[in-house]
Amino acid sequence: MAAADKVDPIHQFQIHPIIPLHIGGYDVSFTNSSLFMVVTIVLASAFLYWSTASRALIPGRLQSVSEMAYEFVGNMLRDAAGKQGMQFFPLVFSLFMFVLVANLIGLFPYFFTVTSHLIVTFTLAILVIGTVVVYGFAKHGLGFLKLFVPHGVPGYLLPLVVAIEVISFVSRPVSLSVRLFANMLAGHITLKVFSGFVVSLSALGAVGIAGSVLPLAMAVALTALELLVAFLQAYVFAVLTCMYLNDALHPSH
């Protein structure tokens, strides 16, 4: 039997029901993951509302942060999809803020990182790809299929190229979701392992405490790296979303 004080790096990702609920044989319980998704939305919404409520001509610090986030996502979307892409701004901005705040919340001890679960990131990715497909066919009809037929490809290579393009498109939600999930999962596990070394070595007395300096330094460095990764992964998810939406707006290569 494992010791009661054993450090388990996987325990932080376990989902526990808070309000058990079953409907029609399906488990729809309100879990710790559900709770932190709600917390993420509430915190992001509250920050954006309170920071911009004054609508000051000369913005304060919080309003400046909100305006910077707005312009950052807006410029990203315009660069990737043109002015037409701004119609998707609410979607892209919401995804960026959700992923960013969820990643940052997960850095606090005993908090839950919802983006470390593949089902959450895959759902976000399906939302993006679903929007691309629905809008693409609604706006272009069958012309949306031009996305899979690059210009200038010789006829004898067309079947192979089309097959590759289709597989590439279908794999987008997988790559988009796994990239975010894997980075958050690996980072948190590594940080937990080094933190566990600090706890285990400290229990060995003076020699152990001296030896724990190195893993402690690594844990601090990893925390700083995880903070960077939290922003970087939100940016990557948002910029890839913009690129995919550009395909819905301009399906021709």
Side-chain angles (χ1 to χ4, degrees):
M1 182 179 295
D5 59 347
K6 181 179 178 181
V7 177
D8 181 7
I10 305 300
H11 180 75
Q12 59 183 315
F13 306 112
Q14 293 180 356
I15 297 178
H16 306 286
I18 297 176
I19 304 177
L21 183 62
H22 295 79
I23 299 177
Y26 293 95
D27 187 356
V28 292
S29 302
F30 187 81
T31 64
N32 54 339
S33 179
S34 306
L35 173 62
F36 278 94
M37 280 189 274
V38 172
V39 170
T40 298
I41 294 172
V42 170
L43 286 179
S45 301
F47 171 76
L48 292 172
Y49 176 78
W50 283 328
S51 62
T52 59
S54 63
R55 295 179 175 86
L57 184 61
I58 301 178
R61 292 180 181 177
L62 293 182
Q63 184 175 334
S64 295
V65 172
S66 295
E67 292 180 358
M68 287 173 60
Y70 181 95
E71 288 298 325
F72 178 72
V73 175
N75 291 334
M76 183 196 313
L77 189 52
R78 281 188 289 267
D79 291 341
K83 292 183 179 179
Q84 287 181 309
M86 288 303 290
Q87 61 188 301
F88 295 109
F89 178 83
L91 171 64
V92 179
F93 186 75
S94 298
L95 287 172
F96 174 77
M97 292 301 298
F98 179 85
V99 174
L100 176 60
V101 175
N103 290 348
L104 292 176
I105 287 177
L107 294 176
F108 289 89
Y110 303 107
F111 279 34
F112 190 85
T113 311
V114 297
T115 48
S116 65
H117 281 262
L118 184 58
I119 186 61
V120 175
T121 59
F122 186 72
T123 300
L124 297 177
I126 287 295
L127 172 62
V128 173
I129 302 303
T131 301
V132 171
V133 172
V134 171
Y135 182 87
F137 278 111
K139 183 174 178 62
H140 305 285
L142 294 179
F144 178 66
L145 296 177
K146 293 179 181 179
L147 178 65
F148 307 111
V149 186
H151 287 304
V153 178
Y156 63 91
L157 286 178
L158 199 57
L160 176 61
V161 172
V162 169
I164 293 174
E165 291 289 334
V166 171
I167 294 173
S168 175
F169 184 84
V170 172
S171 67
R172 284 180 177 182
V174 177
S175 62
L176 187 62
S177 58
V178 170
R179 183 182 293 104
L180 174 58
F181 146 77
N183 277 279
M184 301 311 298
L185 181 74
H188 281 62
I189 288 178
T190 306
L191 182 59
K192 185 66 178 251
V193 168
F194 278 99
S195 299
F197 286 158
V198 175
V199 175
S200 300
L201 290 173
S202 298
L204 300 179
V207 176
I209 292 176
S212 67
V213 172
L214 180 58
L216 177 60
M218 287 296 299
V220 173
L222 283 171
T223 301
L225 179 61
E226 281 295 285
L227 183 62
L228 175 62
V229 169
F231 283 95
L232 183 60
Q233 287 304 310
Y235 166 74
V236 170
F237 196 94
V239 76
L240 289 176
T241 298
C242 295
M243 294 173 62
Y244 298 157
L245 290 171
N246 179 58
D247 289 338
L249 291 166
H250 312 102
S252 299
H253 285 257

